[in-house]
Amino acid sequence: MTAIKHALQRDIFTPNDERLLSIVNVCKAGKKKKNCFLCATVTTERPVQVKVVKVKKSDKGDFYKRQMAWELRDLTEVDARDANKDNPEFDLHFEKVYRWVASSTAEKNSFISCIWKLNQRYLRKKLEFVNVSPQLLEESVPSGESQSVAGGDEDVLDDYQELNTREEQDIESMMEVCEYAISNAEGFAEKLSRELQVLDGANIQSIMASEKQVNLLMQLLDHALSEVDNIEGKLLSYEEMLQSVKEQMDQISQSNRLIQISKTNNDKLLDEIQFLVNYMDLSKGHIKALQEGDLSSPKGIEACINASEALSQCMNVALKPGHDKLLAVKQQQRLFTELKDTFARRLTNHLNNVFVYQFNHFSHFKMTIPQFYRSSCLSLPGHDQSNTLAQHTADLTLPKHSPLHRDLLRYAKLMEWLKNTQRDKYEGLSRTYVDYMTRLYEREIKDFFEVAKIKMAGSSKDVKGKFGLHGSSGKLTGSTSSLNKLAVTSSNSKRSQSSSLLDMGNMSASDLDVADRTRFDKIFEQVLSELEPLCLAEQDFISKFFKLQQHSTPAQGENVDDADGIVHSRPPSEHRISISEKDMVRLMMNKIFQSIEMELNSLIALGDKVDSFNSLYMLVKISHHVLTAENVDPASYLSTTLGNVLVTVKRNFDKCISGQIRQMEEVKISKKSKVGILQFVTGFEEFAKLAEAIFRNAERRGDLDKAYIKLIRAVFNNVEKVANESQKTPRDVVMMENFHHIFSTLSSLKISCLETERKDAKQKYTEHLQSYVINSLGQPLEKLNHFFEGVEARVAQGVREEEVSYQLAFNKQELRKVIKEYPGKEVKKGLDNLYKKVDKHLCDEENLLQVVWHSMQDEFIRQYKHFEGLINRCYPGSGITMEFTIQDMLEYFSSIAQSH
């Protein structure tokens, strides 16, 4: 940069009598980088002119040229863009704003500082410096690059000091007194020098004249020093006296400090003793309650609860460092430990006795098979034959355990104390409770489901007649497998329903045995309604009694089924060392109700074997109860178990639908009789009516819609398959009748997901109706049809319509000959035969005969008009007409329809 400055000074500014003071390498902001130099210059002649010159390097050679110059007095504002950060951008405001980007921030700052100093020295105008650091405006131009260009002139610029106003006024007054101050500057300077010498001499004389006063001042100073010495002596004596007082005060302060320390220690000792007495002392009443308290009475339980809480507070008190070394504290801690162990042992033994008593008490009230079931149909060995709870079995209800829960919940706080103090005894009690309740619930649930299954089988008379059981020969044990055998036997009896669309098509409403399905629906709903409060009540009791917190978020041990969106439980790992309280609730519930899921699956299998359409009822009921359970607690045992069962029911439902489709595909038709409405078509209608009744306002409507789509597609495909295989009935008739029936069914049921299929069925019905009509009408006027087909063929070959009559095979004589073969009587006879044939093709169920006949009438009239049009165009002026008129045709169709 120094070389550039010297080159610019030599080549550009020296020839113009200018000095270069500062330079900055810049380019225009926001454009392609074309570097140039901004130079701050002053003229060497007075008056001094300050300029900012833009210099650019020539494109053709290594020399510089002056491109643009601005007067500094035209500059109104300098904007450094940012005073706090290093930013090379700055703006100069002349007649317009020029935005520049310097090659470095140091060059920009040096250039702005030079502009400020030139303004202060030569212009003194109000120039705005925006976003410029104040230090930059106060410091001098740095020595180095900026000063090297101008040499010694810059030093003069920096050493120059301006005169102030007063000095200017004094110089002006002196110059006014001296007439030759301007014309003879040397003489004026000599005059000023002589006057200065005169003034210096006067000052020296004045100083010498004041010697007496100086001597007097020295005397006074000596006197003052002597007085200072006297005062210092007195101060020393006072200091000795104060030192004595200080020593006495220090002794008093030491005594007071020792007294204060003694008082502080005594206060702290009293606080410690008071703390130990307050928090480490257990009243005699509490000790007696822990050792001898009655755990069977409400008052005794309350006293034990208070005593256990007090004991916990004493044992859990936060001792300060050193307390545990005190003998009294150690004795109290041993006493507390003994009381804790004694009370925990008493509480564990008492609760074990309560569990045994409650189990034995409720064992007398277990579910039993009603007497009329045992005597008439089956015997359950090993079961209590008493009728203690006949009401439970008759109404299909489970015993309520609320009395047991109510009695045990009195010990909930004690169980919490046991959980916090004696974890091993707490877990032992948990296992004992689970063991007893598992056996109790297993009996009750097993008997409950046996009764439910027998109720599904019907009355004792039905059981005898339909299951082949006579008296004791049809003995049924109390196991689930025995009832499954009963279901297998039922599948071969008259009562067993195959539940296929083929069978439903042949059954009336009475044949479907709606009462049996209704009974099954009510029994299944009753089973779920009984299990739901039972499980929720037991889970709520476990969480309250054993003080186990529950959360609604899904646990890590749960899986979500992708297909059905159901939460399934996953067995916990045997190697888990610590399990959460939520997992403990789940484990206890799984152990207690381990038979519920198995019994439910067994009941579902029985219902599916009795009637596969029962899966529709079960799907709706289970789905409803799953949603209800999830709303209460998504992570509950009931929600998880019902979710697993729902998967089984959904699979049975899918299997039922697949079975119906398979039976459609295997259907065979008679070769000797007309087809009519296919059995699986009417069966689909009955299935849809049944499903709509069952799934009304159901949550899992989507499953039924998917099944509808599968079934209707199978129906469509198999109708076409049967129509193609039919030999007795025309294909169009089979398609027309069955798709008309399907269209009518879908229109009446208004199933939204099958709206497209409803339109397709209507289209197929219309197409095949039209096809059947056209194919059938070609027979009564066969020769006439062939004649005019030949005429149309000639016209299509290029023969003009009016020239057709000149063709030998299609002249007027041939036309008259063909028309004479179809007089009115022949036409009516042919239509009568056609009506009989159509009547033989069509079935009676759909009542489509009149619809087809009317369509044939319209088609016949269309053909008649077509023939007349051909006659008028191809045989103009011949006077040839048909032997019968449109009115005659209408009378023929009407009379034939009325006669049959």
Side-chain angles (χ1 to χ4, degrees), residues 583-624:
D583 293 332
M584 285 187 64
V585 174
R586 184 181 296 106
L587 291 175
M588 294 174 71
M589 290 293 293
N590 287 336
K591 179 69 174 175
I592 291 173
F593 293 108
Q594 59 186 355
S595 62
I596 282 186
E597 186 170 345
M598 179 181 64
E599 293 290 349
L600 273 174
N601 287 330
S602 176
L603 184 67
I604 290 168
L606 175 62
D608 191 56
K609 289 179 180 179
V610 171
D611 185 348
S612 63
F613 282 138
N614 284 336
S615 60
L616 277 71
Y617 292 97
M618 291 187 285
L619 182 62
V620 172
K621 297 299 181 183
I622 288 285
S623 300
H624 174 72

Side-chain angles (χ1 to χ4, degrees), residues 444-506:
E444 294 177 350
I445 291 171
K446 181 178 180 182
D447 293 343
F448 173 73
F449 273 94
E450 287 177 351
V451 174
K453 293 173 184 177
I454 295 173
K455 281 181 174 289
M456 286 182 183
S459 64
S460 61
K461 181 178 179 180
D462 294 336
V463 173
K464 287 180 181 179
K466 298 174 181 178
F467 292 91
L469 300 178
H470 302 283
S472 61
S473 63
K475 186 176 294 185
L476 182 65
T477 65
S479 65
T480 304
S481 61
S482 62
L483 285 166
N484 289 337
K485 294 176 182 177
L486 178 106
V488 172
T489 306
S490 69
S491 64
N492 298 322
S493 65
K494 294 181 180 179
R495 184 182 180 276
S496 175
Q497 300 175 8
S498 61
S499 299
S500 68
L501 297 183
L502 296 177
D503 292 336
M504 291 187 71
N506 292 328

Side-chain angles (χ1 to χ4, degrees), residues 109-155:
N109 293 338
S110 176
F111 183 79
I112 292 176
S113 177
C114 181
I115 294 293
W116 180 77
K117 290 182 178 182
L118 290 174
N119 178 65
Q120 293 294 108
R121 178 174 182 178
Y122 294 107
L123 300 179
R124 289 185 172 274
K125 62 173 288 187
K126 186 178 181 182
L127 178 59
E128 294 290 333
F129 286 82
V130 181
N131 296 321
V132 179
S133 174
Q135 292 83 358
L136 190 64
L137 301 181
E138 294 173 2
E139 65 183 8
S140 61
V141 179
S143 60
E145 294 182 348
S146 298
Q147 293 180 347
S148 61
V149 176
D153 293 336
E154 281 300 305
D155 295 334

Side-chain angles (χ1 to χ4, degrees), residues 46 116 120 147 203 220 274 282 285 310 382 387-388 424 429 461 490 520 534 544 551 581 636 755 763 766-767 769 899:
R46 293 186 181 274
W116 180 77
Q120 293 294 108
Q147 293 180 347
N203 288 334
L220 292 175
Q274 190 69 33
L282 194 64
N387 293 323
T388 309
D424 53 341
L429 276 177
K461 181 178 179 180
S490 69
F520 173 83
L534 182 74
K544 291 180 179 178
H551 306 283
E581 295 184 349
S636 66
E755 182 63 25
Q763 181 180 357
T766 305
E767 289 176 356
L769 170 62
S899 64

Side-chain angles (χ1 to χ4, degrees), residues 495-700:
R495 184 182 180 276
S496 175
Q497 300 175 8
S498 61
S499 299
S500 68
L501 297 183
L502 296 177
D503 292 336
M504 291 187 71
N506 292 328
M507 293 179 181
S508 62
S510 60
D511 292 330
L512 289 174
D513 202 353
V514 178
D516 286 348
R517 288 177 177 164
T518 304
R519 181 174 64 238
F520 173 83
D521 185 33
K522 291 182 179 179
I523 293 173
F524 195 74
E525 172 63 26
Q526 181 67 19
V527 169
L528 297 178
S529 299
E530 287 294 318
L531 290 177
E532 182 174 343
L534 182 74
C535 294
L536 292 177
E538 184 64 30
Q539 182 166 336
D540 183 63
F541 166 75
I542 288 175
S543 62
K544 291 180 179 178
F545 181 69
F546 293 99
K547 295 300 178 181
L548 299 174
Q549 298 296 326
Q550 299 184 72
H551 306 283
S552 59
T553 55
Q556 294 179 353
E558 291 178 352
N559 259 339
V560 179
D561 187 270
D562 294 333
D564 300 293
I566 302 164
V567 179
H568 308 289
S569 63
R570 192 168 55 197
S573 173
E574 296 178 358
H575 302 286
R576 278 180 68 185
I577 298 175
S578 61
I579 58 177
S580 65
E581 295 184 349
K582 178 179 61 175
D583 293 332
M584 285 187 64
V585 174
R586 184 181 296 106
L587 291 175
M588 294 174 71
M589 290 293 293
N590 287 336
K591 179 69 174 175
I592 291 173
F593 293 108
Q594 59 186 355
S595 62
I596 282 186
E597 186 170 345
M598 179 181 64
E599 293 290 349
L600 273 174
N601 287 330
S602 176
L603 184 67
I604 290 168
L606 175 62
D608 191 56
K609 289 179 180 179
V610 171
D611 185 348
S612 63
F613 282 138
N614 284 336
S615 60
L616 277 71
Y617 292 97
M618 291 187 285
L619 182 62
V620 172
K621 297 299 181 183
I622 288 285
S623 300
H624 174 72
H625 282 273
V626 167
L627 289 177
T628 303
E630 287 180 348
N631 290 334
V632 176
D633 183 4
S636 66
Y637 166 80
L638 179 66
S639 175
T640 305
T641 302
L642 291 181
N644 295 338
V645 174
L646 179 58
V647 175
T648 303
V649 174
K650 178 62 168 58
R651 288 171 182 164
N652 289 345
F653 175 76
D654 294 339
K655 193 185 301 179
C656 172
I657 300 302
S658 300
Q660 311 310 320
I661 296 174
R662 186 172 58 256
Q663 291 176 7
M664 291 185 210
E665 295 171 349
E666 296 172 356
V667 69
K668 301 295 182 183
I669 59 172
S670 175
K671 297 181 180 180
K672 297 181 180 181
S673 60
K674 59 183 178 183
V675 177
I677 303 302
L678 295 170
Q679 294 179 10
F680 58 78
V681 174
T682 54
F684 174 78
E685 177 184 7
E686 296 296 333
F687 171 82
K689 290 180 180 178
L690 175 65
E692 288 299 310
I694 296 173
F695 278 80
R696 185 178 296 111
N697 300 325
E699 290 84 356
R700 293 183 70 93

